[in-house]
Structures are given as structure tokens and as C-alpha cells.
Amino acid sequence: MNPYFKRFDESDDENFYVQPRLVTHIDDGAIAATTNLYKQLLPQNGVILDLMSAWRSHLPTDVPFARVAGLGMNAEEMRQNPQLTDFAVQNLNKNPALPYPDATFDGCVCTVSVQYLTNPVAVFAEVGRVLKPEAPFAVTFSNRMFPTKAVAIWQSLDDAGHQELVHGYFEQSKKYARIEPITGTTQAWNDPLLGVVGWKAS
């Protein structure tokens, strides 16, 4: 395995995620910034993929979506997510191939989870495959993590380094025509909310 993507805990991820964690992993300010970003990026009545999904998606509640498909590690968490219309359980570190046809989705989000991917470029390429042309893929993150499961390179970098790293995932996947950094909350009392958005090539 590439040493940059090793984790302190290399046991099966299924064991780590077997118990549902019905908690939010960023504070209210960062959640609001995430929701506002998704409101700006995702089209009304679109078909959306919530990648590495859990019991909350932080999607705007005042924007109608035709479908919100969740793909995550814990079925009970996703079952309790009121915004998902359907879901699938899959460990992307074992199998990065997404179970959806080409050009299915009008947008994709990955919220505070990218730090756990051990083969991120393959996953980003798969997201590009299932997105429609010019659809956005928004990857948001903070400085919160499960340290035993976050990859080594993530833990060695600061916030700016995380943005550069995720930007590199987009570039290396060769599926995105435009890639931009995003910054959400800046108040000292809020969790930082950062990210990168890539738009599928047309």
C-alpha cells in the first residue's frame, strides 16, 4: 500500500462503522455554510449523489430534488436520513466502482469524509463517470476526523494543504474541466468549512 494512504487502524472498515453514529461531525456554523454551498451548486429537481453518506446530508431543505441517492457504510444511519430517496452500502476503500450507470447524476456531494479514502483518485474518477456533463462534485471538509481511520497524508497537512491535496485528486482523475477551492465559515468560534468543487468535463 502507498504509505501516504496508510491508516493507524488498518482493520476492516466494516467493523469500525458497524455501530451507527447519530451525531454531527461539524458545528452549526459549518453545517450552515455547507448547506448554503450545496444550495448554490446543486440544481433544483436534480438527481443527486450523497457520497459517503450518513444520517444527515446537510442538503438544503427548501430546494426540491428528484432523487437523492446515498452511498455509505452504515445502513441504519442512511435509513434515518430524511433526505435520501434510496441508499446503498459500500466500502469504497475495497471497491471504488460506483453501482450506478454513466451520466446518472446532476450533482454529487461528499461531506467531511474524503480524509478516509485510501484510493481517492479512483473514487473521483468514478464520480466523474456517473455525473452528467458539467455537473458539480462538491467535496467539503473541516479539521475534524476519526484519527485512527484518516489517511497519513491527510493528518500531515494543514487546511490549505488539504485543499491542495483534494484539488490534486480532481486533477489526477482527469474527469473534471474546472476545479475551484471553496471556503465557508471564517469566524474563530466556528469549525472551519473548506472544500473543493470540480465540474465534470462536457
Side-chain angles (χ1 to χ4, degrees):
M1 176 184 285
N2 186 325
Y4 291 115
F5 293 96
K6 283 195 166 186
R7 288 91 50 85
F8 180 80
D9 178 5
E10 291 288 1
S11 64
D12 280 349
D13 292 333
E14 288 87 347
N15 295 334
F16 185 81
Y17 292 102
V18 68
Q19 293 295 330
R21 292 179 171 87
L22 305 180
V23 296
T24 53
H25 299 287
I26 47 177
D27 65 19
D28 290 345
I31 290 172
T34 301
T35 300
N36 185 58
L37 172 70
Y38 294 165
K39 184 173 183 176
Q40 295 175 49
L41 289 172
L42 301 175
Q44 288 193 22
N45 301 311
V47 177
I48 308 302
L49 174 60
D50 181 13
L51 194 69
M52 305 181 79
S53 184
W55 78 302
R56 292 292 181 267
S57 295
H58 306 317
L59 297 173
T61 56
D62 57 346
V63 176
F65 298 112
R67 176 189 178 192
V68 179
L71 188 144
M73 289 288 293
N74 187 284
E76 183 57 31
E77 286 191 26
M78 290 185 286
R79 198 172 286 118
Q80 295 199 33
N81 186 328
Q83 293 186 294
L84 299 183
T85 57
D86 58 276
F87 66 84
V89 176
Q90 182 171 324
N91 182 350
L92 292 172
N93 289 337
K94 285 186 175 179
N95 177 18
L98 298 178
Y100 309 106
D102 294 358
T104 296
F105 296 100
D106 299 297
C108 177
V109 299
C110 179
T111 309
V112 295
S113 296
V114 67
Q115 61 268 29
Y116 306 118
L117 290 173
T118 60
N119 193 3
V121 174
V123 173
F124 278 51
E126 271 292 288
V127 173
R129 178 184 66 78
V130 302
L131 284 177
K132 296 176 183 177
E134 302 182 8
F137 176 24
V139 181
T140 55
F141 44 87
S142 187
N143 56 6
R144 304 290 186 258
M145 70 182 85
F146 296 123
T148 59
K149 282 296 185 181
V151 296
I153 190 170
W154 189 271
Q155 300 202 52
S156 71
L157 297 171
D158 60 10
D159 290 342
H162 293 154
Q163 283 193 305
E164 291 179 14
L165 180 66
V166 175
H167 191 284
Y169 296 163
F170 276 105
E171 284 189 328
Q172 293 172 55
S173 73
K174 303 185 186 303
K175 294 286 187 179
Y176 303 88
R178 181 161 55 104
I179 307 164
E180 295 181 359
I182 51 177
T183 302
T185 51
T186 56
Q187 297 94 334
W189 58 86
N190 283 139
D191 291 341
L193 191 282
L194 303 124
V196 183
V197 182
W199 282 265
K200 168 82 176 285
S202 59

